[in-house]
Amino acid sequence: MRLAEVEIGKAKGDYVNPADAREDVASIATGWLRAREQVMKPSSYQALRGAWETHVQPRWGARSVGSVRHSEVQDWVAELSRGRAATTVLRAHGVLAAILDVAVNDRRVSRNVARGVALPRKVPKSKPYLTHEQVDRLAAASTYPVLVLFLAYTGLRWGEATGLRVKHVDALRRRVSVEENAVLVGGVVHVGTPKTHEARSVPYPAFLSMSIAKLCEGKRREDLLFGDGVTHMRLPNSVRGWFAFAVKRVRDADEDFPRVTPHDLRHTAASLAVSTGAHVKSVQRMLGHASAAMTLDVYADLFDDDLDSVAEALDLARHAAVVAGTLPRVTPAK
């Protein structure tokens, strides 16, 4: 009977050699991590490797891939979920599942038992959006006011802004070319391409023109726009850094002022752009999102009012057509 099952499995391409299933998870993970390191940005890879070393390896590293059971993975996910954020749990599970995918593709196991388990849902956090006045007050209270204003009105990520060089500034068109991203990983600044790997042109408002011009003065084309021109500015400490102190100063005077981080200024830029009536595609290009759908997903709350605006615009357009005589006056049905 067993021999017949083996022969059928071989014929269908589902056969798994028991010896291959004895390979341990850590052994397969070594090659998988090496491959991921070659294609991922350093910051993303560090998070992936951290999940492996902290959560996956201690529990599954020594286990043979053929011995892992679906119920065990489900219990592990539930255990992690009791003390960890959903993002942490999802990343750890994703690492294990990806490693077991390799085992399936290598025909070490017939199916991935990590797939199909119940996973926690990420609860989206509310985004703090600053008004023009609030941005101005925060900038005035900070050590680097131009950088604060620039982040709030362009939506650039911290690494994209601090990676800008003088040569990336087009003063005539009031645009910057986002071509580099400087990210701090393990205490070292890594310079690479923007998050989506694509360069983009982002406009900055006219009121920043003189400030940007002054930042360029005395610098060579290859020098960094922000900071001393040579060393990339590092993301300030979230508790003791200059940005946190600026927020504290403003909040001391106004307790209703939102607690914000440098990244939150990116959300503010999206909010301010949408409030002017900017099209979602324009906002997408400014922020460097992979698609307009992603922009809508991230900032769905900002576009809620558009539904009312659409209805009002349609009503006004129809009324204009009626007045012009191109449409008959229709009495709504009772």
Side-chain angles (χ1 to χ4, degrees):
M1 184 65 178
R2 173 59 183 165
L3 182 60
E5 290 177 352
V6 170
E7 292 304 320
I8 293 174
K10 287 181 178 179
K12 295 172 63 178
D14 295 334
Y15 175 70
V16 173
N17 189 326
D20 293 335
R22 288 197 288 270
E23 186 79 16
D24 61 59
V25 173
S27 178
I28 298 175
T30 299
W32 179 77
L33 285 168
R34 189 184 307 118
R36 299 311 299 159
E37 186 176 16
Q38 300 305 312
V39 298
M40 296 180 74
K41 290 184 175 296
S43 57
S44 299
Y45 176 74
Q46 184 186 50
L48 201 70
R49 188 172 189 88
W52 160 253
E53 294 176 347
T54 304
H55 302 295
V56 184
Q57 184 179 29
R59 179 66 175 269
W60 306 106
R63 291 281 297 274
S64 63
V65 291
S67 73
V68 180
R69 298 289 177 264
H70 179 86
S71 58
E72 291 181 298
V73 177
Q74 184 65 79
D75 289 344
W76 172 63
V77 167
E79 179 185 328
L80 282 178
S81 299
R82 284 193 286 271
R84 304 286 180 175
T87 299
T88 301
V89 178
L90 293 173
R91 182 179 292 124
H93 169 266
V95 169
L96 176 62
I99 293 170
L100 294 183
D101 277 340
V102 175
V104 172
N105 292 334
D106 287 348
R107 299 292 175 83
R108 297 184 184 280
V109 291
S110 60
R111 69 187 185 91
N112 188 339
V113 297
R115 299 298 180 187
V117 302
L119 297 170
R121 291 185 179 181
K122 289 196 292 185
V123 179
K125 297 180 180 178
S126 59
K127 301 176 185 66
Y129 301 122
L130 302 184
T131 65
H132 292 284
E133 294 76 15
Q134 288 174 323
V135 170
D136 201 57
R137 285 155 54 196
L138 180 60
S142 72
T143 307
Y144 301 98
V146 178
L147 179 54
V148 169
L149 291 170
F150 186 82
L151 292 172
Y153 283 94
T154 63
L156 265 64
R157 301 173 179 91
W158 175 269
E160 293 172 341
T162 57
L164 288 173
R165 300 180 185 278
V166 172
K167 67 178 181 180
H168 296 147
V169 178
D170 183 341
L172 292 178
R173 299 178 64 207
R174 293 199 306 274
R175 293 197 173 206
V176 292
S177 179
V178 182
E179 302 176 17
E180 298 181 12
N181 190 30
V183 182
L184 186 66
V185 181
V188 178
V189 174
H190 292 259
V191 180
T193 57
K195 193 170 182 178
T196 57
H197 297 284
E198 293 184 2
R200 68 184 190 280
S201 179
V202 178
Y204 57 86
F207 78 86
L208 279 174
S209 294
M210 288 301 296
S211 297
I212 298 299
K214 288 182 179 179
L215 289 177
C216 295
E217 286 181 0
K219 291 181 178 178
R220 299 167 300 177
R221 283 177 50 79
E222 293 296 328
D223 287 345
L224 297 167
L225 179 65
F226 292 102
D228 61 8
V230 179
T231 305
H232 289 90
M233 291 183 66
R234 298 195 173 201
L235 187 67
N237 184 278
S238 60
V239 178
R240 300 179 300 278
W242 61 266
F243 191 90
F245 281 127
V247 174
K248 183 179 183 303
R249 292 188 192 100
V250 180
R251 282 181 55 81
D252 285 344
D254 177 9
E255 61 181 15
D256 292 328
F257 190 90
R259 295 183 185 276
V260 292
T261 66
H263 188 76
D264 289 332
L265 296 183
R266 179 171 165 81
H267 303 322
T268 289
S271 173
L272 296 178
V274 171
S275 69
T276 67
H279 191 275
V280 63
K281 285 295 292 183
S282 298
V283 179
Q284 174 219 335
R285 291 173 60 190
M286 179 180 79
L287 298 177
H289 283 163
S291 67
M294 180 180 178
T295 304
L296 287 170
D297 285 342
V298 175
Y299 296 110
D301 55 325
L302 294 179
F303 291 93
D304 278 350
D305 291 341
D306 282 3
L307 297 176
D308 295 330
S309 299
V310 168
E312 292 171 3
L314 289 172
D315 187 64
L316 289 173
R318 180 179 176 82
H319 179 71
V322 170
V323 171
T326 58
L327 279 179
R329 295 182 181 276
V330 179
T331 302
K334 294 182 180 179

